Amino acid sequence: MPRDDLDPPTPERRELDKRIATGRRTLGERIADLRAPLGIRQDRLAELTGISRRTIQRIESGEGDPRYSELIRIAAALDEDVAVLISGSAQGPARPPRE
């Protein structure tokens, strides 16, 4: 069995290491990071948004990109701004509180 420390890193592994080192997260990772503390599983997010569970899985794994309309529904289900999903930080005016 090869030892990981002796095998040269793959391009994918180097990119992952770079993202981790710089703190950059993908859109899917940000969505997963936002839903987990809320206790929302992928199947529940699918129910809340009307987006299929498989599409949610693909978005979170980076296999596919959501349509803008899907981003809006995901952001609403997570009570978050679309800008936070896209960029990872709030840019612009603060959102008024939900009633």
Side-chain angles (χ1 to χ4, degrees), residues 9-26 29:
T10 64
E12 293 83 10
R13 181 61 202 201
R14 283 193 296 273
E15 177 61 28
L16 176 62
D17 290 341
K18 186 172 147 184
R19 276 198 346 258
I20 291 169
T22 61
R24 285 188 6 220
R25 308 285 290 162
T26 66
E29 289 168 332

Side-chain angles (χ1 to χ4, degrees), residues 69-87:
S69 62
E70 293 170 334
L71 271 179
I72 292 170
R73 294 189 312 228
I74 291 169
L78 299 175
D79 195 28
E80 197 54 79
D81 284 330
V82 173
V84 171
L85 295 184
I86 294 171
S87 70

